[in-house]
Amino acid sequence: MFTGIIEELGTVEQISQSTQTMELAIRASKILEDVKLGDSIAVNGVCLTVKQFTSNSFLADVMPETVKATSLQQLTVGMHVNLERAMLANGRFGGHIVSGHVDGVAIIQRKRPVANAVYVDLAMDRTLVAQCIERGSITVDGISLTIFNMTDTLVTISLIPHTYEQTVLGYKKAGDVVNIEIDLIGKYVKKHLQNQTASTITKELLQRTGF
């Protein structure tokens, strides 16, 4: 479990890639201070498991479904990535509940400065936008952010200078792909309501048919 507060920018050091899988070597420092084999680290919002590490880098495998469903397949050597360790139970909850399980991707449609902020328009599938709410939380490349405007296919977020300067969103441009994770609580509420609706429909059908 993560909070969406990025701890540091790592650098992709090496990529070993087959047709369906990847192995990433990522250079880092802060997040490796207390790392152990098997630890979870969110890389651009994707929860990966440390399988090997040194004092300045770690290795992680990326499975076929993750390669297919996230933007990690577009990484190249030298690119920066957002990194966050799994949260401690006794730590501050600075962002929102983030699982590291990406729901889909979005394309940066536009970035524009507004006073001391940078507005970013994200084009994404209608099914993802339908699960968002204005002033609600969304995770973009592992960053906990707030939605302040949206349409059927577009979500707009606003970045403060610190977030823009200290995360990969400062490097990305229009046309680039980012990972999206919808607010976890919202997804559970939606699923619960869907189950309730399905249960009600089933009961009504049984009553109509005399069962």
Side-chain angles (χ1 to χ4, degrees):
M1 194 65 69
F2 307 91
T3 70
I5 303 299
I6 304 306
E7 296 187 86
E8 73 170 304
L9 280 175
T11 304
V12 179
E13 200 170 51
Q14 185 177 337
I15 300 174
S16 301
Q17 190 163 7
S18 69
T19 54
Q20 296 187 69
T21 66
M22 300 170 67
E23 180 188 72
L24 295 176
I26 297 174
R27 179 171 290 274
S29 57
K30 181 178 180 179
I31 64 160
L32 298 175
E33 292 172 355
D34 59 355
V35 71
K36 300 184 295 296
L37 288 180
D39 278 358
S40 295
I41 295 177
V43 179
N44 280 358
V46 182
C47 180
L48 299 180
T49 301
V50 176
K51 73 169 189 176
Q52 188 176 325
F53 66 92
T54 66
S55 60
N56 55 24
S57 68
F58 70 94
L59 282 179
D61 288 319
V62 186
M63 296 295 98
E65 182 58 32
T66 306
V67 172
K68 183 171 59 176
T70 74
S71 67
L72 294 187
Q73 60 183 298
Q74 299 185 12
L75 291 177
T76 58
V77 172
M79 288 183 71
H80 294 301
V81 288
N82 290 327
L83 299 175
E84 182 191 356
R85 289 169 287 189
M87 67 176 291
L88 295 171
N90 63 348
R92 285 192 173 91
F93 209 111
H96 71 282
I97 299 173
V98 177
S99 69
H101 302 155
V102 171
D103 293 302
V105 296
I107 298 174
I108 296 175
Q109 188 176 82
R110 181 172 60 159
K111 293 172 70 176
R112 61 193 190 279
V114 180
N116 69 337
V118 176
Y119 289 5
V120 182
D121 296 329
L122 303 170
M124 63 182 77
D125 190 88
R126 291 173 182 269
T127 57
L128 291 178
V129 179
Q131 299 178 68
C132 298
I133 59 170
E134 286 193 24
R135 305 295 184 267
S137 297
I138 191 169
T139 308
V140 181
D141 268 354
I143 310 165
S144 174
L145 295 166
T146 301
I147 298 166
F148 80 90
N149 194 28
M150 54 189 288
T151 67
D152 288 345
T153 58
L154 199 71
V155 166
T156 302
I157 54 174
S158 177
L159 306 177
I160 61 172
H162 176 82
T163 303
Y164 191 78
E165 294 164 5
Q166 300 297 321
T167 73
V168 296
L169 288 184
Y171 295 89
K172 295 202 171 184
K173 59 187 183 301
D176 284 347
V177 178
V178 292
N179 293 317
I180 299 295
E181 182 183 332
I182 304 301
D183 181 46
L184 188 63
I185 295 175
K187 286 189 287 188
Y188 278 121
V189 171
K190 180 184 177 183
K191 183 66 174 178
H192 176 69
L193 292 175
Q194 286 175 336
N195 289 340
Q196 277 194 327
T197 301
S199 177
T200 300
I201 292 172
T202 301
K203 287 178 181 178
E204 290 178 352
L205 286 174
L206 289 173
Q207 289 172 354
R208 290 176 186 176
T209 53
F211 287 94

